Amino acid sequence: MKLSKVFFNGVVKENPIFVQLIGMCSVLAVTTAAKNGLAMGLAVTGVLIGSNVVVSLIRKVVPNKIRIPAFIVVIATFVTIVEMFMKAYAQDLYNALGIFIPLIVVNCIILARAESFASKHGLLASAVDGLGMGVGYTLALLILSILREFLGSGSIFDIQILGPSFEPAIIFLMPPGAFILLGILIGIFNSIRNKQASKEVLQKEEAR
Amino acid sequence: MDSKAMDTSKAKEVALENMLLVTSSPHIRSNESVQRIMLDVIIALAPAIIGSVYFFGLNALKLILISVASSMVFEAIIQKIFNRPITLDDFSAIITGILIAFNLPADAPWWLPVAGSAFAIIVVKQFFGGLGANFMNPALAARAFLLSSWPSHMASFTGTRPDVVATATPLAIMKYGMGPDTAASATVAAATSASEAAGAELPTLWNMFIGSIPGAIGETSTLLLLIGAAYLLIRKVIDWKIPVFYLGTTFIMLVLLGVEAEFLSYHMLGGGLILGAFFMATDYVTTPVTPVGRIIFGIGAGILTALIRVKGGYPEGVSYSILLMNVATPLIEKFTRPRVFGEVKN
Amino acid sequence: MNETIKLALILFIITAVAASVLAISNSVTSERIAEADRLASERAKMEVLDIAEEFKQLDENRLKEIVGDNTNITEINEGYKGSDLVGYTFNIEVNGYGGPLTFMTGISKDGKITGIKVLVHEETPGLGANSTRPFFTDSFKGKPVDSEITAVREPKADNEVQALTSATVTTNAIVDGVNLIRQIYSEKLSNLEGMEVER
């Protein structure tokens, strides 16, 4: 399998947020500001790559019966490491993300990739898969959180964009606004994806 | 789903697709009936529009015009983008615009109705498939959107006289002005009116009836709204069941919840109850079509309204209760669907 | 049976490796975390009582003696400039709109509120969460402790602070908390200082 294909599979074709719609709870909760969205995305990417690599390494020594607890231990270890380092070196971010950092353990994306990809593929492919999924997740969070921060606070990455006369719509900082924006983004993303897919089909048919 | 509205929109699509065909008259006739219904609603709203300008001044008229215009513009733009036939001529966007403006305080800034109609038309109506397919009343959904987005603008009401800067609505006075510990009972959205409500006095019942009280533009005048409602009932545009059961249940629930007798009439005349019961809870698309379903809808909305007003955090609960019942409508219809004769039970 | 032991052993090895990895990363980060925590709390104290240079936390017994039944005051610090006691900081937990809200208030020895800072909160973004913004917290600065503080939309008088629009619950929770601290300071701490000076 080509590595670039594995990578773009995670970013576009099977984007964890826009296509697979998994791990939504923390997505809706942390995307109130662009900074938080980016940090959460990077934390998840780090855990994804780490756990994918280790799961791929131990996939042949771990018996099938205990693979789930073994994977969970690996994932929980990486999440705890990320949590410790975040607390030590980026405490503001840690405070902003709060409970959602330890909750990465139960984020379905990570176990899903360990189970469906890393436990069946080699080290390099698993690392690239983790990176691709992580980048896809981070991009989705970044887009959503930039929109929410802009509409709900009038700023992006804490930089005020619109003057004081702009009155931000608080709803976009609250759960309903997150759902509405996410729904619209999923719609746009998939209509673009569908158009490209049908284009590809057309090209293939022409090639014949 | 309302069969009439659905048939019409379908018929219209057919009519538009077969532009070059000479079709027989039923298309034209049914096409007119949607327009006619919507036109009737606009006529019925006219007394309240005139009244709102009389009570709240030209700013009310400005807000109504902005709201209607922006609703129509958004409808045209989004239908163009979606490659749908542009259906401004069914007047439904005009009604949505009027109802959005009716839910605003008279001193709302000009962009508030624009934001509201954008949400109502684009997100609630067209994203779900346009007229006949929206799952909620667009105007009420817009009100909920505006209330949680800009609570300070949506909850500060102007008095009907120009010299009164900002006052509390009768419902807010009843909720916050009576108890000894005013501040403790205040909540997020109602907070601004809560501080004003403390110590304010209730208006006379006559003023409540004709509409010379603080409140949203179109909801205050019970008299003018009832004139419009009577017109709709006579023209058989709306069914009596939802409003009657809605108002009746609200009254009974308020009594059961221990609201004192002297406040009952204020509850019935105040807030958006009359506007909601006759003009919003009777929306064809988002309310049940079955007779029993309509009765259930009215009772449910009545229970919710009374509960929110008496036990809830907000002084007013009409919009949320109708929205909640809108969402429950498919379920109600499923359970009250009349069985076709000879149908096998499964 | 044999298989069970084998599975348990493998799982044990995995967890053992995980535990040792965590132990290593903990030893790397724990000092920094403690340092960062200390710095953050120090910074907060400096923010609400900027005239002090050093802080000394009152011990359990002294704290109990001062707050009495008001156990929602969780910490009191004395602020010193050189060897002079210049004021106090109080940590208090109150009930906000979204849940518990912890904030810190500083009171200087000359009977003025020197600042407040919200430490932990779960308030609604854009409404109650504005309690962390300077336009709200700064309005408490310089208020005298001898009169009851009230929140209004446009503060004018000496005892009026900025109310948060559409977030009355949050505003009242904080204002009530400040008033409680104000009271406790006046009753228990302001006189004591005088006595200490006389001694």
Side-chain angles (χ1 to χ4, degrees):
Chain A
M1 195 186 289
K2 266 170 73 184
L3 287 180
S4 64
K5 208 177 165 192
V6 174
F7 178 77
F8 284 107
N9 184 48
V11 180
V12 182
K13 210 173 148 215
E14 281 180 36
N15 186 300
I17 304 299
F18 291 146
V19 181
Q20 299 188 57
L21 304 180
I22 52 178
M24 303 310 272
C25 173
S26 48
V27 173
L28 296 170
V30 302
T31 50
T32 49
K35 198 178 68 184
N36 299 355
L38 181 63
M40 185 71 184
L42 293 179
V44 168
T45 308
V47 173
L48 257 173
I49 297 173
S51 74
N52 263 11
V53 165
V54 173
V55 165
S56 164
L57 279 175
I58 61 171
R59 72 183 193 277
K60 282 181 183 143
V61 290
V62 176
N64 213 21
K65 278 183 183 163
I66 53 161
R67 68 179 198 287
I68 299 288
F71 294 168
I72 290 286
V73 170
V74 171
I75 294 166
T77 309
F78 275 105
V79 172
T80 315
I81 292 173
V82 166
E83 188 188 353
M84 283 172 173
F85 276 89
M86 212 168 199
K87 214 170 172 181
Y89 296 98
Q91 210 170 30
D92 286 346
L93 268 184
Y94 178 80
N95 288 339
L97 298 178
I99 185 72
F100 294 101
I101 290 292
L103 279 183
I104 296 175
V105 177
V106 289
N107 195 319
C108 6
I109 302 169
I110 294 163
L111 189 61
R113 292 332 284 173
E115 170 77 8
S116 69
F117 195 92
S119 66
K120 297 180 186 112
H121 291 87
L123 181 102
L124 194 60
S126 299
V128 172
D129 178 71
L131 181 69
M133 285 289 161
V135 169
Y137 180 85
T138 309
L139 273 181
L141 254 71
L142 201 58
I143 298 171
L144 184 60
S145 57
I146 285 177
L147 280 175
R148 285 183 70 187
E149 188 181 343
F150 179 69
L151 293 170
S153 317
S155 60
I156 292 174
F157 282 106
D158 290 339
I159 300 162
Q160 210 66 32
I161 304 288
L162 299 172
S165 57
F166 171 74
E167 294 189 47
I170 295 164
I171 192 170
F172 290 112
L173 295 181
M174 301 197 287
F179 276 110
I180 292 166
L181 277 182
L182 185 63
I184 294 172
L185 284 177
I186 290 171
I188 295 172
F189 189 85
N190 282 307
S191 84
I192 296 172
R193 225 169 51 102
N194 287 346
K195 254 179 213 159
Q196 270 177 345
S198 58
K199 231 185 240 167
E200 273 168 29
V201 172
L202 274 179
Q203 278 170 352
K204 266 183 200 164
E205 277 176 6
E206 274 168 21
R208 263 182 224 158
Chain B
M1 280 305 125
D2 179 67
S3 53
K4 223 188 249 173
M6 282 299 286
D7 284 349
T8 325
S9 60
K10 263 188 206 138
K12 237 167 103 175
E13 274 176 39
V14 173
L16 282 165
E17 277 165 17
N18 305 329
M19 279 289 233
L20 298 173
L21 289 178
V22 178
T23 51
S24 55
S25 54
H27 294 302
I28 297 165
R29 210 186 69 207
S30 65
N31 199 0
E32 253 187 13
S33 85
V34 139
Q35 283 180 337
R36 185 67 226 178
I37 289 167
M38 296 295 178
L39 201 61
D40 274 340
V41 177
I42 295 173
I43 293 169
L45 287 168
I49 296 175
I50 296 164
S52 71
V53 179
Y54 173 76
F55 290 124
F56 295 105
L58 279 178
N59 202 41
L61 183 66
K62 194 182 93 187
L63 288 173
I64 295 172
L65 289 178
I66 290 174
S67 186
V68 170
S70 56
S71 287
M72 294 172 72
V73 169
F74 285 126
E75 175 120 318
I77 291 175
I78 197 76
Q79 286 180 330
K80 187 99 191 151
I81 292 173
F82 283 172
N83 283 326
R84 288 188 190 144
I86 291 172
T87 56
L88 284 181
D89 55 348
D90 67 10
F91 299 142
S92 65
I94 298 178
I95 294 179
T96 303
I98 296 173
L99 290 179
I100 291 171
F102 270 20
N103 276 300
L104 299 173
D107 61 346
W110 64 269
W111 48 265
L112 214 54
V114 177
S117 51
F119 185 78
I121 298 291
I122 297 173
V123 176
V124 183
K125 191 175 170 191
Q126 293 297 342
F127 276 4
F128 288 86
L131 183 67
N134 47 304
F135 73 114
M136 271 183 178
N137 185 322
L140 281 179
R143 185 191 130 93
F145 171 79
L146 295 176
L147 189 60
S148 45
S149 286
W150 297 281
S152 48
H153 283 299
M154 288 298 285
S156 69
F157 291 103
T158 335
T160 47
R161 297 194 316 278
D163 53 322
V164 182
V165 182
T167 66
T169 62
L171 287 179
I173 296 173
M174 284 193 284
K175 195 159 189 88
Y176 306 117
M178 300 297 173
D181 190 7
T182 322
S185 63
T187 51
V188 172
T192 29
S193 41
S195 50
E196 291 146 3
E201 268 178 39
L202 283 172
T204 63
L205 274 180
W206 173 247
N207 277 344
M208 295 273 306
F209 184 66
I210 61 163
S212 183
I213 51 167
I217 293 174
E219 70 178 20
T220 57
S221 177
T222 307
L223 174 69
L224 297 175
L225 288 170
L226 284 179
I227 292 173
Y231 174 77
L232 288 181
L233 284 170
I234 291 166
R235 297 263 321 162
K236 294 209 166 53
V237 172
I238 60 171
D239 186 19
W240 59 272
K241 288 190 201 71
I242 289 178
V244 168
F245 276 90
Y246 185 2
L247 295 173
T249 313
T250 309
F251 186 81
I252 293 167
M253 276 301 288
L254 287 170
V255 174
L256 288 179
L257 286 168
V259 172
E260 290 154 65
E262 54 172 320
F263 299 143
L264 278 174
S265 42
Y266 285 99
H267 266 294
M268 298 311 289
L269 297 175
L273 190 56
I274 302 291
L275 178 67
F278 286 101
F279 291 92
M280 289 167 171
T282 53
D283 177 28
Y284 282 169
V285 184
T286 54
T287 54
V289 276
T290 56
V292 183
R294 287 185 173 169
I295 293 170
I296 296 174
F297 186 98
I299 292 174
I303 292 173
L304 287 170
T305 301
L307 276 176
I308 295 174
R309 278 190 182 180
V310 179
K311 301 280 178 199
Y314 292 93
E316 173 60 305
V318 170
S319 56
Y320 289 111
S321 48
I322 297 177
L323 283 175
L324 281 168
M325 293 312 290
N326 282 167
V327 180
T329 295
L331 204 64
I332 296 172
E333 286 192 325
K334 199 183 157 198
F335 284 118
T336 58
R337 191 164 53 110
R339 190 155 285 123
V340 176
F341 188 68
E343 188 183 352
V344 185
K345 210 175 176 183
N346 46 4
Chain C
M1 193 61 197
N2 258 347
E3 206 208 345
T4 316
I5 294 171
K6 194 186 142 201
L7 292 180
L9 207 65
I10 293 176
L11 210 50
F12 173 76
I13 294 171
I14 292 173
T15 45
V17 172
S20 33
V21 170
L22 284 180
I24 295 168
S25 71
N26 184 46
S27 70
V28 174
T29 54
S30 63
E31 261 177 52
R32 257 207 82 101
I33 293 174
E35 175 72 10
D37 279 346
R38 202 186 57 78
L39 270 179
S41 113
E42 201 76 349
R43 224 181 307 137
K45 284 179 228 158
M46 289 293 264
E47 225 170 278
V48 297
L49 190 66
D50 53 1
I51 42 175
E53 287 164 347
E54 244 180 284
F55 293 92
K56 214 169 78 188
Q57 190 179 341
L58 295 182
D59 62 37
E60 283 286 302
N61 294 333
R62 184 87 175 84
L63 178 70
K64 256 185 214 152
E65 191 187 312
I66 293 171
V67 299
D69 293 335
N70 302 306
T71 46
N72 53 346
I73 298 182
T74 52
E75 192 183 316
I76 300 179
N77 284 283
E78 291 175 325
Y80 289 93
K81 181 174 188 167
S83 59
D84 296 335
L85 179 66
V86 289
Y88 295 89
T89 69
F90 302 76
N91 288 24
I92 185 168
E93 190 183 303
V94 294
N95 287 323
Y97 185 74
L101 182 151
T102 310
F103 70 94
M104 195 184 254
T105 306
I107 292 180
S108 67
K109 232 181 71 179
D110 54 359
K112 291 250 160 62
I113 292 170
T114 50
I116 71 163
K117 183 178 170 66
V118 176
L119 304 173
V120 184
H121 74 90
E122 291 163 33
E123 304 301 285
T124 322
L127 297 172
N130 282 343
S131 58
T132 58
R133 299 254 177 105
F135 81 90
F136 175 73
T137 54
D138 284 355
S139 75
F140 284 85
K141 275 186 186 161
K143 301 293 169 203
V145 292
D146 44 12
S147 56
E148 171 112 11
I149 286 168
T150 52
V152 293
R153 248 193 257 180
E154 283 156 20
K156 286 187 197 87
D158 207 22
N159 66 335
E160 287 175 348
V161 296
Q162 179 68 47
L164 293 171
T165 317
S166 300
T168 310
V169 176
T170 315
T171 310
N172 285 344
I174 294 178
V175 168
D176 290 350
V178 171
N179 277 328
L180 177 71
I181 289 168
R182 204 178 46 75
Q183 221 175 332
I184 284 177
Y185 170 82
S186 314
E187 283 168 15
K188 300 278 173 60
L189 292 168
S190 59
N191 300 338
L192 254 168
E193 277 161 31
M195 276 157 64
E196 269 170 2
V197 169
E198 276 165 33
R199 264 184 236 155

